[in-house]
Amino acid sequence: MKLDADHRLLLAADARRASHAPPRGWRAALPAIAAAVLAILAIYSDTAKSIVAIWRSSDTFAHGYLVVPISAFLVWSKRREVAALAPRPDVLGLALLGGAGFAWLAAEEAQVQVLAQYALVAMVPATVVAVAGRRVAWALAFPLGVLLLAVPFGEAFLPRLMEWTADFTVAALRVTGIPVFREGTFFTIPSGHWAVAEACSGLRYLIASVTVGAVYAYLTYRTWWKRALFLVASTVVPIGANFVRAYVIVLVGHLSSMRLAVGFDHLIYGWAFFGLVIGLLFWLGSLWREPAAPLPQARAFSQATPARAAGFAFAASGTALLAAAWPLCVPYLDRTDPAPVRLAAPAAASGWSLEPQKDMHWRPHYPGAAASTLAVYRKGEISVAVYLGYYRNQHPGAELVGSQNLVAGASPSPWSRIGESTDAVELPSGKVQLRQTRLGSATGRLLVWDWYRIGGRDLSNPYVAKALLARDKLLRRADDSVAIVLAAPYEARPQAAAETLRMFAREMLPAIDHALRVAAQKESR
């Protein structure tokens, strides 16, 4: 009797151990996932290196070094739940990987580095789906999604954040009773001159807050709406805190006769204030903390039959081969047109005269253009400068749309940007949304209009421009495109310069179009 009872206890213990043991298959699935991810990183090593290079060169994105360890920690925290699932290869992962690969190819052809980086990171969860299945990937959705925060993204928000910071600071100073003269992001008060620089935009605070806030919300809350609400707070609070920080720093500098908050202590005060605000935000968020979710019952998940080792190896190999296919398409799509570009200044027309000796001490910075021209035209007492930059066979460092292209000119240009907006202008070819930039220097003021011409279409939106260039590259079309820049001086009212540019565009755009058509002709060379 005693032997039978002991035997039954041993069988029961074995059953309990079996019910909590991870399903068979993980010993083969884990190496397969690791091998596939390492293969993808090797295939796209240039893109991966570009991410790390930005971490290393920019303090704004230095948090990227922490993202991968945080993701690994979160995956480890889910190990018991994931171990209870039976891994099985899923064709959905190959479809997702194909979509990410195509996005990488389009980004590579259009030279949109951030999109290529996002596409590479998206291949990691797609690989998990392809090798281990969608149930495993869903259980690890947030830990894998955290990897997207490693991509250096956010610089596109810099101009807007700087403008908002300047708006708030100037308004607060005026409410305080301090007179302010503002020009763009530069402003002057009785005690001195100030400017909202890129470091004052609050982008660093915003990115750090969103990254930490997302992880904090995931670990602290269970309900989706609380997580979403805290993430919104992690976005809004640092923006508002930066507004207050900028105002307080200017106020301290003013009240101390520019002895305080104007040097290195400027940064110290900023980070101390930011740390105080974010610490308060997290403390308030902890008041609504929710208990951790109970672990699911292992039996409920361990009924599925795991795939065999050969299946995981086949899935990992297919994943690596599919990922490798997209870079192989790049040499095929990259056409090189040997025809040179000869671009002449547009002929004067409608009463405008070309003045080759006239010099406004201004030249836009569009490096890598296949050909360019800068000329000044005069009609009566008004003058307009025209710059045309013609691009062909575009590649990194020589592309129409890029952060290196500046209407203010390259450093050490005497011109600085003091304001930017968009304006819908009726041109002979139709209504076009143009970029309108106000530049200032010690010698005067300039109003600059600029836009792109791609495939005969005029536009100023850089994202649409990149999409058109990617389309042409993917369809193996020529990538000829042009930067058109007009500039007119003004003294007090930029509206007067705007009227000058509007008249010039109406009267001289046909001549500009003709010069560009001649430059595009290859058979005449």
Side-chain angles (χ1 to χ4, degrees):
M1 294 293 293
K2 186 176 184 304
L3 289 175
D4 291 341
D6 292 343
H7 182 64
R8 285 195 297 271
L9 289 173
L10 289 173
L11 290 176
D14 291 341
R16 284 194 300 271
R17 282 193 297 270
S19 67
H20 290 281
R24 290 171 297 122
W26 276 112
R27 290 184 179 179
L30 285 176
I33 294 173
V37 170
L38 291 175
I40 289 173
L41 292 177
I43 294 168
Y44 296 92
S45 59
D46 289 342
T47 303
K49 289 176 182 177
S50 71
I51 296 176
V52 178
I54 297 176
W55 294 351
R56 185 170 56 247
S57 62
S58 173
D59 292 339
T60 302
F61 302 108
H63 72 282
Y65 286 109
L66 301 177
V67 172
V68 174
I70 288 173
S71 177
F73 167 76
L74 294 175
V75 169
W76 177 256
S77 69
K78 303 277 289 184
R79 65 190 182 281
R80 290 188 177 86
E81 179 181 343
V82 173
L85 302 174
R88 293 184 65 83
D90 193 331
V91 70
L92 174 63
L94 295 179
L96 296 174
L97 187 67
F102 180 79
W104 178 89
L105 180 62
E108 186 72 11
E109 292 303 308
Q111 299 300 324
V112 185
Q113 181 176 257
V114 67
L115 180 57
Q117 292 169 347
Y118 272 121
L120 171 59
V121 174
M123 291 181 189
V124 176
T127 300
V128 175
V129 177
V131 178
R134 65 189 74 179
R135 295 182 69 186
V136 172
W138 181 253
L140 296 175
F142 184 83
L144 295 175
V146 165
L147 292 173
L148 295 174
L149 297 174
V151 177
F153 173 74
E155 289 188 340
F157 302 128
L158 270 173
R160 179 62 63 186
L161 289 172
M162 292 167 64
E163 191 74 20
W164 287 349
T165 303
D167 291 343
F168 181 90
T169 304
V170 169
L173 288 171
R174 286 172 177 164
V175 169
T176 310
I178 302 174
V180 184
F181 172 75
R182 178 185 176 184
E183 195 170 32
T185 56
F186 298 85
F187 54 93
T188 302
I189 59 178
S191 58
H193 303 282
W194 295 85
V196 178
E198 292 184 358
C200 303
S201 66
L203 181 62
R204 295 179 184 177
Y205 306 146
L206 177 61
I207 291 176
S209 177
V210 169
T211 302
V212 178
V215 176
Y216 182 87
Y218 175 74
L219 296 175
T220 305
Y221 307 116
R222 289 171 51 193
T223 52
W224 69 268
W225 66 267
K226 284 190 177 182
R227 289 174 173 173
L229 187 62
F230 190 84
L231 188 58
V232 170
S234 299
T235 304
V236 174
V237 168
I239 295 177
N242 185 65
F243 293 166
V244 176
R245 178 199 66 85
Y247 163 68
V248 170
I249 285 177
V250 174
L251 187 62
V252 169
H254 175 69
L255 296 177
S256 65
S257 300
M258 305 297 285
R259 290 193 301 270
L260 300 176
V262 293
F264 184 71
D265 56 341
H266 181 116
L267 299 176
I268 296 176
Y269 298 155
W271 277 108
F273 180 74
F274 171 74
L276 178 64
V277 171
I278 296 303
L280 180 61
L281 174 65
F282 287 176
W283 176 75
L284 290 174
S286 68
L287 300 179
W288 290 274
R289 179 188 298 272
E290 294 179 309
L295 289 175
Q297 294 296 324
R299 289 177 189 165
F301 295 92
S302 59
Q303 300 301 319
T305 303
R308 295 181 179 179
F312 295 119
F314 180 79
S317 301
T319 298
L321 290 174
L322 179 59
W326 302 104
L328 295 177
C329 298
V330 173
Y332 171 76
L333 295 175
D334 284 347
R335 294 180 52 186
T336 300
D337 190 340
V341 178
R342 297 185 179 92
L343 179 63
S350 301
W352 291 91
S353 62
L354 181 62
E355 298 191 357
Q357 303 303 319
K358 182 70 175 179
D359 187 6
M360 289 185 179
H361 305 287
W362 165 82
R363 184 181 184 88
H365 181 66
Y366 279 78
S372 65
T373 179
L374 175 65
V376 176
Y377 299 81
R378 176 172 288 277
K379 186 176 185 179
E381 296 299 320
I382 58 177
S383 60
V384 174
V386 178
Y387 173 84
L388 302 176
Y390 199 106
Y391 284 83
R392 177 177 290 170
N393 304 325
Q394 298 182 48
H395 57 273
E399 49 193 320
L400 174 66
V401 185
S403 60
Q404 76 278 2
N405 297 337
L406 305 170
V407 297
S411 179
S413 170
W415 298 96
S416 59
R417 188 175 61 185
I418 58 178
E420 184 177 312
S421 62
T422 57
D423 188 19
V425 177
E426 190 69 39
L427 300 179
S429 58
K431 183 169 287 188
V432 179
Q433 198 80 10
L434 309 177
R435 271 188 306 272
Q436 188 170 253
T437 307
R438 287 178 291 130
L439 303 180
S441 74
T443 59
R445 298 288 186 268
L446 279 181
L447 181 67
V448 180
W449 283 2
D450 75 291
W451 69 95
Y452 310 121
R453 177 167 294 177
I454 302 174
R457 178 178 174 182
D458 290 329
L459 69 157
S460 62
N461 189 307
Y463 305 106
V464 177
K466 282 291 191 181
L468 293 176
L469 290 171
R471 178 203 64 185
D472 292 340
K473 283 290 192 83
L474 293 173
L475 296 176
R476 301 198 76 236
R477 297 175 180 172
D479 66 351
D480 287 28
S481 50
V482 185
I484 304 176
V485 188
L486 312 180
Y490 69 94
E491 293 182 0
R493 296 177 60 251
Q495 292 82 359
E499 289 301 321
T500 298
L501 292 176
R502 191 172 285 108
M503 179 178 68
F504 181 87
R506 285 196 307 266
E507 297 175 348
M508 280 292 296
L509 194 59
I512 294 174
D513 294 342
H514 177 73
L516 295 178
R517 284 195 299 270
V518 171
Q521 293 174 0
K522 305 183 181 73
E523 63 275 9
S524 63
R525 296 185 170 85

